[in-house]
Amino acid sequence: MVAQVEAGPAGTAGPCRRLVPVILAGGSGTRLWPMSREHFPKQLIGVVGPDSLLQATVSRMKGFPGDWTVAAEPIIVCGEEHRFTTEEQIRESGMNARIIVEPARRDTAPALTLAAALACADGEDGIMVAMPADHSIADIPALHRAIAIAAKHAQAGLIATLGIPPTRPDTGFGYIRLGGALDEGAHRIDRFVEKPAAELAAQYVAAGTYWWNSGIFVVRASVWLAALERLQPDMHSACVAALKGGRHDGKYLRPDATEFARAPSDSIDYAVMEHIGTPASPCGGIVVPLVAGWSDLGSWDAVWDAMQKDESGNVASGRVVFEGATSSYARSEGGRLVACVGTTNVIVVETDDAVLVADRSRVQDIKGLVSRIREQHAPEADAHRKVRRPWGFYDSIDHGERFQVKRIVVTPGARLSLQLHHHRAEHWVVVRGTALVTRGDEQFLLSENESTFIPLGVKHRLENPGKVPLEIIEVQSGAYLGEDDIVRFDDTYGRCS
């Protein structure tokens, strides 16, 4: 059980100088396909640098200036499918976090409500700095200055958001219409505007009274809960009950799935922010300008725009060669050489199992393309050839009728579940490290260049008892080789049914 949530009405809480980073990491973006996929979305990959977007977001509040105290452990809200990779990447960043695992996808408003309820547990009630996990920000000091201004207004019981003064008409963003001017460049929020058509977006930019909606919000936890209780009572009651009835599972906090299923699915904008300034709203809202090289990285064109270019306007990542190319983006992830000759305004992204070639003006169509690939039941829509698991990863390097070959890497000290298969047998060859093998009633060690056979229907387990990664080649043979042919009897990572 999670501690009782206490939340007073908006604007009644006492002074607070404690900032609680909240990272919303439940997305599954398809516009950056083939790098971003359902099972490994863009927040988990290094789109614009060596760190993943999640790692960059978590690190963003380090060194926050002034007399504000930043919570040592941010709150991260993610889905079941991504919890192990999320925890692993946070650990690699040298940080700890409180990770809330959503039982189901309900969009950003319920996710933020779970975080607010946790922030209010045990009477803490900090000022949340809610950030999507998949954005890029170049100027961190400028971000800190904007958050500090927003936090002062949040202290007074307002909901603050960061707005981006637009540099061009863009139909991919929501807009905020500015109200009355306040100190330090802030404005009252007149209203939120949905993504406009091109002509209307041009009018907004020309008017100078509309900013892009960044999706970054700064608000006292109790203020958010009180606003949601007034505006979306069903969502409020479901989320608070889900957190109260949740349980701790190692490093993860699991809200009650039945209670959470009652929560309507809605975004922060629709559920609360579009009501700001109306008679129904229990609190006001302000918007603070953010001029910090912000990008939501919502398309490959946005990635190109956010990165440093050569003298011809090209961006290269990995093994890429340009010859007479201009304003192009090319990325090699699978290790093959990508050569672009005479291309203009072209996107080329190569992975182990897919190659994307797109005109930069048509990158918004990639979402529809992925839908078509999914309708064909092709695996490239959802998963990479290299699949992460809590114990390491496997790479499906070859397959044919009645056989499949995988390269399996197990991290030191990790182990797979105790399992069996009804439709396939497996041959294991150790190429690096030492394997501890359970096969039926036997348990034995295998060293490099040694092998074993796992017959169909026999319980088995693979473990790495050593201090270096264990690497094996697995050859599967049988009538059916799907990943759903696994019956688990014991699992360190809680994946047994």
Side-chain angles (χ1 to χ4, degrees):
M1 298 287 287
V2 178
Q4 177 68 43
V5 175
E6 299 290 345
T12 62
C16 178
R17 304 291 296 180
R18 185 171 183 269
L19 303 180
V20 181
V22 175
I23 315 301
L24 304 178
S28 59
T30 57
R31 289 184 176 88
L32 294 189
W33 186 88
M35 283 291 295
S36 176
R37 306 194 188 181
E38 179 78 16
H39 300 323
F40 205 74
K42 69 174 181 176
Q43 66 263 26
L44 301 178
I45 61 179
V47 178
V48 292
D51 291 340
S52 72
L53 296 178
L54 171 66
Q55 290 172 319
T57 305
V58 170
S59 300
R60 225 159 256 160
M61 293 296 286
K62 290 182 178 178
F64 199 88
D67 57 352
W68 296 94
T69 300
V70 178
E73 294 186 343
I75 298 173
I76 300 176
V77 186
C78 69
E80 175 71 29
E81 180 71 27
H82 311 133
R83 64 185 174 107
F84 294 115
T85 307
T86 295
E87 190 276 326
E88 178 185 11
Q89 291 193 356
I90 299 305
R91 187 177 65 251
E92 289 176 352
S93 297
M95 298 182 65
N96 294 313
R98 293 183 285 178
I99 301 176
I100 301 175
V101 181
E102 289 182 292
R105 289 181 181 172
R106 286 294 184 269
D107 215 322
T108 55
L112 183 58
T113 305
L114 291 176
L118 180 59
C120 275
D122 301 321
E124 291 184 356
D125 188 22
I127 296 174
M128 299 187 298
V129 181
M131 300 175 284
D134 54 1
H135 291 182
S136 171
I137 298 178
D139 190 342
I140 301 303
L143 171 69
H144 289 172
R145 289 191 294 270
I147 290 175
I149 295 169
K152 288 191 295 184
H153 291 280
Q155 279 183 318
L158 300 176
I159 300 179
T161 185
L162 304 188
I164 313 298
T167 56
R168 64 185 183 278
D170 198 305
T171 61
F173 300 139
Y175 286 72
I176 302 169
R177 190 167 75 181
L178 306 183
L182 303 170
D183 292 341
E184 300 178 287
H187 286 260
R188 298 190 185 279
I189 293 174
D190 185 59
R191 67 185 179 96
F192 274 62
V193 181
E194 293 188 41
K195 297 176 182 178
E199 182 178 349
L200 193 55
Q203 293 176 15
Y204 289 166
V205 174
T209 55
Y210 291 83
W211 290 346
W212 291 337
N213 175 17
S214 73
I216 300 173
F217 298 92
V218 183
V219 57
R220 192 80 173 255
S222 61
V223 170
W224 173 261
L225 291 173
L228 197 78
E229 186 174 25
R230 172 79 171 273
L231 297 169
Q232 309 292 340
D234 291 343
M235 184 186 298
H236 175 273
S237 63
C239 293
V240 170
L243 192 91
K244 182 180 177 182
R247 61 184 176 87
H248 290 280
D249 176 16
K251 297 178 174 64
Y252 312 107
L253 172 58
R254 294 182 172 277
D256 181 86
T258 301
E259 294 288 355
F260 192 66
R262 295 192 298 107
S265 178
D266 211 347
S267 68
I268 293 170
D269 295 348
Y270 288 150
V272 173
M273 298 309 295
E274 287 197 352
H275 300 279
I276 293 294
T278 69
S281 178
C283 62
I286 66 106
V287 56
V288 175
L290 175 64
V291 182
W294 171 90
S295 174
D296 74 338
L297 300 178
S299 68
W300 283 116
D301 188 49
V303 174
W304 170 86
D305 190 53
M307 297 187 70
Q308 186 173 354
K309 303 163 187 62
D310 66 15
E311 62 276 7
S312 298
N314 299 312
V315 174
S317 178
R319 296 188 65 208
V320 172
V321 175
F322 291 113
E323 181 67 32
T326 57
S327 302
S328 294
Y329 176 93
R331 184 181 189 114
S332 171
E333 281 291 317
R336 289 172 288 187
L337 177 65
V338 174
C340 298
V341 180
T343 60
T344 300
N345 296 327
V346 167
I347 301 291
V348 181
V349 181
E350 176 267 352
T351 66
D352 287 325
D353 59 352
V355 178
L356 169 72
V357 181
D359 189 290
R360 277 183 43 218
S361 67
R362 298 287 303 275
V363 290
Q364 295 296 339
D365 295 341
I366 292 174
K367 184 176 182 179
L369 171 69
V370 176
S371 296
R372 289 179 56 195
I373 295 172
R374 186 172 287 119
E375 289 172 359
Q376 298 170 4
H377 304 290
E380 292 84 359
D382 296 324
H384 289 275
R385 200 185 79 175
K386 180 178 178 180
V387 178
R388 274 82 173 175
R389 288 290 184 256
W391 42 260
F393 68 87
Y394 69 81
D395 187 359
S396 298
I397 56 180
D398 197 8
H399 68 278
E401 186 177 358
R402 297 184 63 86
F403 83 90
Q404 182 169 219
V405 181
K406 290 183 176 180
R407 172 175 168 252
I408 297 176
V409 176
V410 185
T411 55
R415 63 179 185 172
L416 282 67
S417 61
L418 180 65
Q419 59 185 251
L420 65 75
H421 312 293
H422 290 300
H423 303 287
R424 72 174 184 252
E426 296 173 343
H427 301 255
W428 293 346
V429 180
V430 177
V431 297
R432 184 172 64 154
T434 300
L436 175 61
V437 178
T438 299
R439 184 180 62 187
D441 296 329
E442 305 175 83
Q443 192 171 70
F444 51 91
L445 292 171
L446 291 178
S447 299
E448 294 181 8
N449 299 317
E450 295 182 334
S451 63
T452 191
F453 171 63
I454 309 297
L456 181 151
V458 173
K459 289 183 182 180
H460 59 279
R461 167 174 263 160
L462 177 65
E463 303 181 49
N464 181 359
K467 296 182 178 180
V468 299
L470 164 66
E471 184 172 349
I472 73 166
I473 299 300
E474 176 183 86
V475 180
Q476 303 175 355
S477 60
Y480 178 72
L481 306 173
E483 283 300 306
D484 54 347
D485 180 25
I486 300 178
V487 180
R488 292 189 173 95
F489 299 92
D490 177 69
D491 183 53
T492 303
Y493 312 105
R495 295 173 297 168
C496 293
S497 59

